[in-house]
Amino acid sequence: MSSPTGPASGLPVRMPRPRQPGRHRRPEPAAAPVGAPPLVLAVPGTPEAATRGLAEEIVSIARSELPGLDAQVGYVDVEGENAEFPQLEAVLARAAQDRTERLRQAREAAKATAAATAEAIAAAEAAGEEIPEMPPPPSVPADGPSAVVVPLLAGPDNALLRRIRQAVMSSGSAAELTDVLGPHPLLAEGLHVRLSEAGLARADRARLFTVATAADGIILATVGGGEAADAGGITGMLLSARLAVPVMAAALDEDGAVVRVAEQLRSAGSARLALAPYLIGPEVSAELTKAAAEEAGCAAAEALGAYPAVGKLVLSKYAAALGITLPASAGLR
């Protein structure tokens, strides 16, 4: 039993830690704004358990960076209703319906608040009392997107983006579609990590040791044809700066492109080549990447997958679309 001054047992009372004053105080943790539309991750590729696990891990990373975030997953290449792999179009349609219902409830709450305020004012005037100060009615967020769709793509793949845009239009929703995740220095960092995990690059240029199997030339493998390879060149330059070796991009879905780039790198003096998939994972079959590496006569690293920076970049696209400022701790500066 407790007394007004504390527990009867004499045990210490855990009190909330006061905020540290001054310039060095810890910032308040960011949270998703109340009523913010959901983040919908548009996942391409063949739906399978590994793809679902990857998508769920990425949205989990995004939620951990922005508490309260409503993050959902919609699959691009799904036909009809599928409870296990919800179709992107269906997810967006439900988000639009949910938004309509929330707006209706908010309007009803505003009307109820306005009626209660008018009744209180009338009662105070009749009694000759001072009119009480009443809270303002709740705001009704009537504008803004019903969802923010973030494609799970490192680079531009026009065929996949076309299917995503079609799903957005077909859903009848007011969803907003963001750009793809790249180019970005964090993706170059992820590629570096995947290469080092495969023993194809040093983990840190500053360390005074070498990896015997480290590559001296990197093929940055993209999907989306020549346009995607050109766009991947920017991330390739960032990766080249990290590794101090030449990096050239090639499209996996363009016949002979990987072999041609391998020949260019070898003619320029690179003897040990490695293929770095500039992919999240579901975009193409892993067998395609493996076959391209074998054809070019080089080893290959794993795709980016659920590297933490991928989840952070997904969140940054969502935040930019809504004008939400993320804390520096999100690591996107």
Side-chain angles (χ1 to χ4, degrees):
M1 181 173 178
S2 298
S3 70
T5 57
S9 63
L11 294 175
V13 180
R14 177 171 292 185
M15 301 295 290
R17 183 179 297 176
R19 280 181 60 87
Q20 182 181 1
R23 56 186 289 196
H24 298 297
R25 69 184 184 186
R26 293 179 181 177
E28 289 290 332
V34 176
L39 183 163
V40 178
L41 188 66
V43 181
T46 304
E48 54 189 15
T51 301
R52 185 178 63 247
L54 169 65
E56 289 175 352
E57 190 169 350
I58 288 172
V59 297
S60 177
I61 293 168
R63 290 191 192 106
S64 70
E65 297 290 339
L66 190 66
L69 172 67
D70 179 5
Q72 304 175 30
V73 178
Y75 295 87
V76 180
D77 300 312
V78 173
E79 297 294 335
E81 293 187 10
N82 190 318
E84 191 175 9
F85 300 98
Q87 187 185 40
L88 176 59
E89 183 178 332
V91 172
L92 295 179
R94 282 196 300 272
Q97 292 171 0
D98 291 345
R99 179 174 181 266
T100 300
E101 178 60 19
R102 286 196 303 271
L103 289 173
R104 185 190 66 77
Q105 292 176 357
R107 290 191 183 98
E108 288 182 355
K111 288 179 182 179
T113 301
T117 300
E119 186 177 339
I121 291 173
E125 289 176 341
E129 299 174 353
E130 184 178 350
I131 297 175
E133 205 173 299
M134 302 296 293
S139 60
V140 181
D143 54 358
S146 57
V148 176
V149 182
V150 182
L152 190 60
L153 295 170
D157 183 325
N158 287 332
L160 285 173
L161 287 172
R162 196 160 39 243
R163 296 208 294 276
I164 294 172
R165 290 191 192 98
Q166 182 60 47
V168 172
M169 291 187 292
S170 300
S171 69
S173 68
E176 180 173 342
L177 178 62
T178 73
D179 290 334
V180 296
L181 304 182
H184 197 280
L186 286 178
L187 294 180
E189 173 190 284
L191 292 167
H192 184 174
V193 169
R194 293 297 184 238
L195 285 165
S196 66
E197 288 173 346
L200 300 171
R202 290 179 296 172
D204 188 341
R205 282 185 60 190
R207 295 179 186 175
L208 300 178
F209 67 87
T210 61
V211 177
T213 57
D216 57 6
I218 306 293
I219 304 169
L220 194 73
T222 67
V223 288
E227 185 177 342
D230 291 342
I234 300 173
T235 300
M237 286 189 293
L238 297 170
L239 181 61
S240 178
R242 295 180 67 92
L243 300 177
V245 301
V247 178
M248 295 181 67
L252 287 168
D253 51 354
E254 189 174 290
D255 288 343
V258 173
V259 172
R260 288 195 298 272
V261 166
E263 291 172 351
Q264 291 178 50
L265 286 168
R266 288 190 175 103
S267 65
S270 297
R272 298 183 306 278
L273 302 185
L275 187 143
Y278 186 42
L279 308 165
I280 309 302
E283 305 95 313
V284 297
S285 166
E287 295 302 318
L288 179 61
T289 304
K290 181 180 178 182
E294 289 177 353
E295 190 177 3
C298 63
E302 295 292 327
L304 288 163
Y307 184 68
V310 174
K312 292 180 179 181
L313 287 173
V314 166
L315 177 60
S316 76
K317 294 297 181 183
Y318 170 84
L322 298 178
I324 298 172
T325 301
L326 297 174
S329 60
L332 291 160
R333 296 289 187 267

